């Protein structure tokens, strides 16, 4: 049988992060982009936990709790923004929102 | 007891503030009561101080009002020594009589109260100046004097000429004050102190070149305040002020400040031969130019103004040759006879209903006998006729120059010539006003009222006798100043026969000038056949015009300074301003807006572009981590 080493976890995290990142670049729907951000956050969480397990320290796991709390708060604010975008333009595409163009 | 010194200094200020706040005080008699009683009180206290000071063998003392800073130590303090005691007595004494005269001269003026506010403020400023115990407080008084003289000169500010004259006085003084201020900075830098005692006692430790630089800047201040060449043209214009105020400016306050300051710094001045020589030459130039200008002026006050400048020139000459006592003595005698002459002129102007042109006067001797007599005393005194005041002081100055010998004999001759001119223009002044036939009849002329007569008589008596305080037989002023000028080497008078001969020569000069004036303006000798040829007439005409136009100095000054400055600033405006300054500013602004246009194109407003940038820099970051070995590994 294969032994599941830290490398496996890190590789998985890298793959998840890349998926989230490319999703961010490709998709225009605000809701999907939002999910991609969550994917990247959790990829980072996985890295933290793998490193924590690897070095036998608790620091990484503490950081994960902080990330989770911040992510929860961010979801609340972010979803509220997306809802108000829907109300304004009846589509969730972010390309229309280019008011901050220089 | 020593704090009593503060009373005469601050009482005029209190009076000024009090009168200033009493806006409803319309009655002139009530204003008179306040202002006169305050000046009489301060004069009585001053006399008391002066007598105790004399009894105490002229020991100087200081009164500290408060300490301002520790290092360098600057106190707000006043010193009474021989020099300041003399000035204190002079200023507070003269101000009584000039004020009494003013109550009559300024009567019915709509700003009667304001006049006395300024007047008292002026006296206060001058007393701060003379009583100061360090350079900074002296500068404070110096500036206050400048301000209050401005207020008095442009007192009738609705007249354009008056407000312009005030501006001129203020601006020309500012040039001098700049020199004074720079001198003060040098003093602070060299001595680390402003205190007179400390600075003046340590003068011998300082290299001569440093002293020369310091004193050259300080004398610029004195030239401005005492109206010396080339900063003198404000004083004749200052005649726009009320006549008693002119008397105050010319006699006791303001113009004497420069002489006072130079005597104050004489311990420094004596070490620098360069500065002393500059003072001498400028004094001589001023004395000659202004005496020459006075011989063909037609404004009754302008003659006196040029005469003041000329007499101040004499004082500067005395300082230049190191005869500091003679300078102070001439300041003292001049204060009395010049105040007398100005008040006399004021009485004449008042009697003639504000006519100031002496060509329209004449024959006033019979109608105003008392004024004529007193003005006559003043004229004789300033001409140097013994035993009147001017003789003793002017003779002392002339003898001091003579005793230096060598090249100074030439300066002596020129000063003597200025003395002849003095007697000449003063003789002309008196003869044209009081003696010759009037060219225009003015009705209803009466002699001065009582409030004018009393000051005239008192000042007339002083003009006769004040000279006796410092004669070759009794050195009053020298004794008074001997502690102040302890470390100063004073040029002494020659002894014996030389002194007598010199005195005779200067008496001769006075009489010669007066006699010449008598021949020309009373006997009309110039109209006789003797001088009836064209060349001579042309010469006379040339002298008259040159004199009237002050040797065209104002015009030359206009060309050099005004037109030159305009030309220069036009050039500067084109080259420096529009090309250099505007160019730099525009370059900076344009470069910002252009670079902003380039960088702002990266801000697309599309989220995925931002994500792209984010990812791009993330990759760079990771690459850096991979390439760089971990720190501490």
């Amino acid at each position: 049988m294969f032994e599941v080493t830290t490398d496996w976890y890190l590789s998985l995290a890298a793959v998840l992060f890349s998926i989230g990142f490319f999703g961010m670049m490709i998709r225009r729907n605000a809701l999907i982009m939002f999910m991609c951000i969550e994917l990247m956050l959790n990829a980072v969480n996985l890295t933290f936990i793998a490193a924590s397990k690897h070095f036998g320290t608790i620091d990484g796991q503490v950081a994960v709790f902080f990330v989770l709390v911040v992510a929860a708060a961010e979801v609340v604010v972010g979803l509220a923004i997306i809802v108000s975008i829907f109300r304004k333009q009846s589509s969730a595409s972010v390309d229309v929102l280019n008011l901050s163009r220089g | 007891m020593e704090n009593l010194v503060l009373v005469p200094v601050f009482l005029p200020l209190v009076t000024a503030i009090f009168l200033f706040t009493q806006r409803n005080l319309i009655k002139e008699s009530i204003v008179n009561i306040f202002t006169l009683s305050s000046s009489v009180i301060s004069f009585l206290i001053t006399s008391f101080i002066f007598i105790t000071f004399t009894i105490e063998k002229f020991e100087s003392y200081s009164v500290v009002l408060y300490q301002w800073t520790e290092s360098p130590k600057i106190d707000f303090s006043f010193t009474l020594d021989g020099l300041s005691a003399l000035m204190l007595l002079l200023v507070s004494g003269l101000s009584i009589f000039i004020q009494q005269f003013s109550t009559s001269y300024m009567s019915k003026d709509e700003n009667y109260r304001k006049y006395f506010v300024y007047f008292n403020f002026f006296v206060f400023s001058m007393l701060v100046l003379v009583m100061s115990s360090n350079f900074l407080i002296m500068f404070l008084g110096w500036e206050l004097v400048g301000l209050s003289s401005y207020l008095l000169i442009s007192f009738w500010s609705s007249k354009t000429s008056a407000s312009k004259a005030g501006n001129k006085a203020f601006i020309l003084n500012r040039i001098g004050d700049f020199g004074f201020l720079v001198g003060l900075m040098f003093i602070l830098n060299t001595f680390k102190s402003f205190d007179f005692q400390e600075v003046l006692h340590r003068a011998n430790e300082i290299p001569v070149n440093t002293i020369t630089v310091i004193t050259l800047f300080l004398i610029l201040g004195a030239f401005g305040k005492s109206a010396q060449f080339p900063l003198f043209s404000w004083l004749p214009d200052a005649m726009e002020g009320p006549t008693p105020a002119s008397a105050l400016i010319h006699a006791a306050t303001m113009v004497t400040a420069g002489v006072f300051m130079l005597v104050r710094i004489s311990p420094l001045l004596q070490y620098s031969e360069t500065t002393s020589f500059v003072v001498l030459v400028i004094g001589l130039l001023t004395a000659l130019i202004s005496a020459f200008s006075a011989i063909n002026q037609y404004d009754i006050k302008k003659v006196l103004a040029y005469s003041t400048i000329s007499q101040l020139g004499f004082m500067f000459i005395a300082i230049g040759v190191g005869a500091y006592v003679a300078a102070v003595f001439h300041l003292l005698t001049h204060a009395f006879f010049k105040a007398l002459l100005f008040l006399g002129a004021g009485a004449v102007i008042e009697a003639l209903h504000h006519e100031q042109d002496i060509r329209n006067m004449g024959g006033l001797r019979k109608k105003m006998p008392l004024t004529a007599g007193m003005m006559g005393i003043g004229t004789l005194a300033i001409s140097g006729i013994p035993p009147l005041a001017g003789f003793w002081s002017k003779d002392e100055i002339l003898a001091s120059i003579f005793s230096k010998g060598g090249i100074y004999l030439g300066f002596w001759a020129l000063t003597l010539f200025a003395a002849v001119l003095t007697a000449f223009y003063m003789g002309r002044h008196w003869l044209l006003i009081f003696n010759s036939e009037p060219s225009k009849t003015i009705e209803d002329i009466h002699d001065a009222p009582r409030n004018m007569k009393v000051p005239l008589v008192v000042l007339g008596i002083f003009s006769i006798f004040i000279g006796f305080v410092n004669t070759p037989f009794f050195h009053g002023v020298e004794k008074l100043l001997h502690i102040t000028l302890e470390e100063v080497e004073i040029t002494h008078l020659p002894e014996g026969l030389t002194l007598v001969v010199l005195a005779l020569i200067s008496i001769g000069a006075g009489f010669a000038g007066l006699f010449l004036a008598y021949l020309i303006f009373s006997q009309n000798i110039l109209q006789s056949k003797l001088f009836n040829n064209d060349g001579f007439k042309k010469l006379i005409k040339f002298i008259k015009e040159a004199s009237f136009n002050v040797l065209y100095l104002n015009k030359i000054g206009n060309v050099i300074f005004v037109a030159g400055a305009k030309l220069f600033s036009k050039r500067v405006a084109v080259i420096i301003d529009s090309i250099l300054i505007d160019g730099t500013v525009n370059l900076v602004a344009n470069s910002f807006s252009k670079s902003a246009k380039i960088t702002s194109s990266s801000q697309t407003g599309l989220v995925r572009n931002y994500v792209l940038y984010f990812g791009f820099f993330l990759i760079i970051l990771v690459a850096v981590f991979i390439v760089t070995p971990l720190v501490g590994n």
Side-chain angles (χ1 to χ4, degrees):
Chain A
M1 280 296 285
F2 301 110
E3 196 193 344
V4 181
T5 56
T6 313
D7 294 354
W8 290 40
Y9 290 104
L10 289 180
S11 306
L12 177 63
V15 169
L16 282 176
F17 189 88
S18 302
I19 293 170
F21 185 70
F22 282 107
M24 272 294 279
M25 283 200 290
I26 295 163
R27 304 302 295 262
R28 271 135 225 224
N29 190 308
L31 212 56
I32 306 290
M33 288 170 79
F34 204 73
M35 286 156 76
C36 292
I37 290 173
E38 291 301 313
L39 207 57
M40 285 194 282
L41 278 173
N42 283 311
V44 172
N45 280 349
L46 191 59
T47 321
F48 269 125
I49 290 168
S52 173
K53 183 97 184 356
H54 181 77
F55 293 112
T57 54
I58 198 91
D59 300 359
Q61 300 184 33
V62 173
V64 168
F65 276 109
F66 277 99
V67 173
L68 285 178
V69 171
V70 172
E74 179 238 326
V75 166
V76 172
V77 178
L79 280 178
I81 292 173
I82 289 165
V83 168
S84 61
I85 289 172
F86 263 122
R87 278 187 188 160
K88 198 165 167 252
Q89 58 185 33
S90 70
S91 116
S93 173
V94 289
D95 278 7
V96 188
L97 302 169
N98 59 355
L99 289 174
S100 65
R101 190 168 67 186
Chain B
M1 172 57 208
E2 290 182 347
N3 288 334
L4 205 61
V5 175
L6 298 176
V7 179
V9 178
F10 283 98
L11 197 57
L13 179 68
V14 173
T15 317
I17 292 173
F18 175 76
L19 287 177
F20 181 69
T21 51
Q22 301 301 306
R23 289 184 185 282
N24 300 324
L25 202 64
I26 312 255
K27 269 194 114 173
E28 291 180 0
S29 56
I30 300 178
V31 175
N32 292 350
I33 289 170
F34 280 115
T35 181
L36 281 174
S37 58
S38 108
S39 56
V40 167
I41 289 169
S42 68
F43 178 68
L44 289 177
I45 292 171
T46 307
S47 313
F48 177 72
I49 292 168
F50 193 79
I51 291 165
T52 16
F53 182 66
T54 315
I55 294 169
E56 309 251 320
K57 304 275 180 228
F58 313 116
E59 275 303 322
S60 60
Y61 54 83
S62 294
V63 181
V64 180
L65 218 57
Y66 73 86
Q67 286 195 337
W68 184 18
T69 57
E70 282 293 330
S71 169
K73 194 162 161 293
I74 300 171
D75 294 343
F76 202 91
S77 59
F78 296 108
T79 299
L80 192 80
D81 68 346
L83 187 58
S84 56
L86 184 73
M87 292 300 289
L88 183 64
L89 195 66
L90 181 68
V91 173
S92 55
L94 277 176
S95 77
I96 296 180
F97 300 113
I98 300 176
Q99 274 190 54
Q100 190 190 3
F101 188 91
S102 306
T103 56
S104 177
Y105 190 87
M106 297 304 289
S107 176
K108 309 264 183 338
D109 194 287
E110 55 184 331
N111 289 318
Y112 190 79
R113 184 178 52 88
K114 197 171 89 178
Y115 173 80
F116 283 97
V117 172
Y118 292 165
F119 192 101
N120 279 296
F121 186 63
F122 203 168
V123 172
F124 162 73
S125 316
M126 189 63 189
L127 291 179
V128 169
L129 199 166
V130 298
M131 298 299 292
S132 56
S133 74
N134 62 52
F135 280 103
L136 205 66
I137 304 303
M138 190 189 208
F139 187 66
L140 176 74
W142 191 267
E143 292 298 310
L144 283 176
V145 164
L147 167 68
S148 37
S149 68
Y150 168 77
L151 291 174
L152 275 178
I153 291 168
S154 49
F155 180 73
W156 288 311
S157 51
S158 52
K159 274 202 299 185
T160 320
S161 56
S163 54
K164 274 192 176 164
N167 284 344
K168 189 171 182 181
F170 201 75
I171 292 165
L172 278 179
N173 266 297
R174 207 107 294 276
I175 299 172
D177 295 350
F178 154 77
F180 195 174
L181 198 57
V182 176
L184 289 191
M185 291 171 191
F186 272 116
I187 285 177
L188 188 63
N189 197 29
T190 314
F191 295 93
K192 310 287 174 220
S193 169
F194 273 138
D195 197 66
F196 285 141
Q197 287 278 325
E198 212 173 318
V199 170
L200 299 178
H201 282 275
R202 280 172 43 203
N204 51 356
E205 305 163 10
I206 305 297
V208 173
N209 286 338
T210 316
I211 290 187
T212 303
V213 172
I214 293 175
T215 47
L216 277 178
F217 277 110
L218 288 179
I219 60 169
L220 184 61
F223 289 161
K225 193 76 46 187
S226 286
Q228 296 295 295
F229 180 82
L231 300 177
F232 67 89
S233 63
W234 64 269
L235 195 58
D237 287 19
M239 295 299 103
E240 292 290 340
T243 309
S246 305
L248 188 69
I249 290 176
H250 286 247
T253 59
M254 186 80 184
V255 294
T256 55
V259 180
F260 169 83
M261 190 260 269
L262 291 189
V263 176
R264 182 57 96 198
I265 63 163
S266 54
L268 282 179
L269 211 53
Q270 62 173 341
Y271 289 111
S272 172
E273 283 184 11
T274 321
T275 313
S276 296
F277 196 72
V278 171
V279 172
L280 172 65
V281 170
I282 294 285
L284 191 59
L285 257 179
T286 313
L288 286 170
I289 292 174
S290 50
F292 180 71
S293 306
I295 59 179
N296 196 36
Q297 297 296 329
Y298 294 110
D299 187 311
I300 183 170
K301 287 171 75 185
K302 275 205 173 155
V303 177
L304 296 177
Y306 282 110
S307 141
T308 301
I309 301 172
S310 173
Q311 299 303 308
L312 288 165
F314 278 92
M315 296 174 209
F316 275 71
I317 294 170
I319 288 167
V321 297
Y324 303 107
V325 174
V328 174
F329 183 37
H330 196 54
L331 191 162
L332 177 70
T333 56
H334 173 257
F336 284 101
F337 55 68
K338 192 45 65 67
L340 170 65
L341 287 168
F342 262 112
L343 296 188
V348 170
I349 294 169
E350 174 81 5
L352 299 184
H353 317 293
H354 293 270
E355 171 64 63
Q356 297 204 5
D357 194 326
I358 52 176
R359 282 170 297 192
N360 297 336
M361 300 174 185
L364 293 178
R365 191 165 38 125
K366 295 191 186 82
K367 287 170 181 155
M368 310 178 68
L370 184 110
T371 313
M374 290 304 143
M375 286 281 274
I377 290 174
T379 304
L380 293 180
I382 197 173
S383 306
I385 304 299
L388 282 77
F391 163 70
W392 300 104
S393 53
K394 203 176 281 184
D395 184 47
E396 198 174 325
I397 291 175
L398 283 165
S400 305
I401 309 169
F402 190 84
S403 71
K404 295 270 279 188
I407 186 182
Y408 289 91
L409 292 181
F411 293 133
W412 172 78
L414 287 172
T415 315
L416 193 69
F417 179 60
V420 176
L421 283 179
T422 307
F424 176 70
Y425 66 70
M426 286 314 297
R428 164 186 179 267
H429 194 231
W430 192 86
L431 288 170
L432 283 185
I433 297 172
F434 294 107
N435 196 46
S436 60
E437 286 307 305
S439 56
K440 190 174 121 187
T441 37
I442 296 172
E443 298 294 321
D444 185 29
I445 297 173
H446 53 87
D447 207 346
R450 196 175 60 88
N451 269 347
M452 292 189 178
K453 267 182 189 162
V454 175
L456 284 176
V457 171
V458 172
L459 290 173
I461 292 168
F462 269 107
S463 297
I464 298 174
F465 293 109
I466 196 73
F468 292 112
V469 298
N470 196 49
T471 60
F473 321 107
F474 173 71
H475 302 281
V477 176
E478 196 169 336
K479 270 187 199 138
L480 187 65
L481 295 180
H482 85 275
I483 289 184
T484 310
L485 301 178
E486 208 169 22
E487 295 165 7
V488 182
E489 200 182 322
I490 298 166
T491 306
H492 281 283
L493 301 181
E495 305 265 317
L497 191 65
T498 329
L499 188 62
V500 177
V501 173
L502 285 175
L504 287 175
I505 292 175
S506 72
I507 295 169
F511 275 115
L514 287 177
F515 186 64
L516 197 61
Y518 172 75
L519 285 182
I520 293 178
F521 297 104
S522 186
Q523 303 298 316
N524 290 324
I525 192 172
L526 289 183
Q527 264 78 46
S528 70
K529 281 177 191 164
L530 192 61
F531 297 103
N532 199 6
N533 68 61
D534 282 344
F536 192 75
K537 274 185 179 161
K538 268 183 192 158
L539 180 70
I540 295 289
K541 192 163 174 272
F542 174 74
I543 290 177
K544 273 189 164 180
E545 288 201 340
S547 163
F548 186 72
N549 292 310
V550 200
L551 289 171
Y552 306 102
L553 282 175
N554 273 340
K555 279 176 190 152
I556 296 171
N558 260 342
V559 170
I560 295 176
F561 294 109
V562 180
K566 271 185 186 165
L567 200 71
F568 176 71
S569 35
K570 259 185 196 164
R571 291 268 180 284
V572 167
V574 171
I575 298 169
I576 307 273
D577 200 55
S578 68
I579 297 178
L580 205 68
I581 296 178
D582 286 5
T584 316
V585 172
N586 286 341
L587 188 72
V588 172
N590 287 339
S591 68
F592 273 116
S593 76
K594 273 181 188 151
S595 65
K597 257 177 203 154
I598 295 167
T599 49
S600 74
S601 63
S602 66
Q603 306 277 323
T604 56
L606 295 176
V607 179
R608 57 206 154 89
N609 286 1
Y610 297 154
V611 174
L612 192 65
Y613 303 149
F614 168 68
F616 179 65
F617 284 105
L618 190 73
I619 290 165
I620 290 178
L621 204 65
V622 170
V624 168
F625 266 117
I626 291 169
V627 172
T628 334
L630 285 174
V631 180
N633 200 2

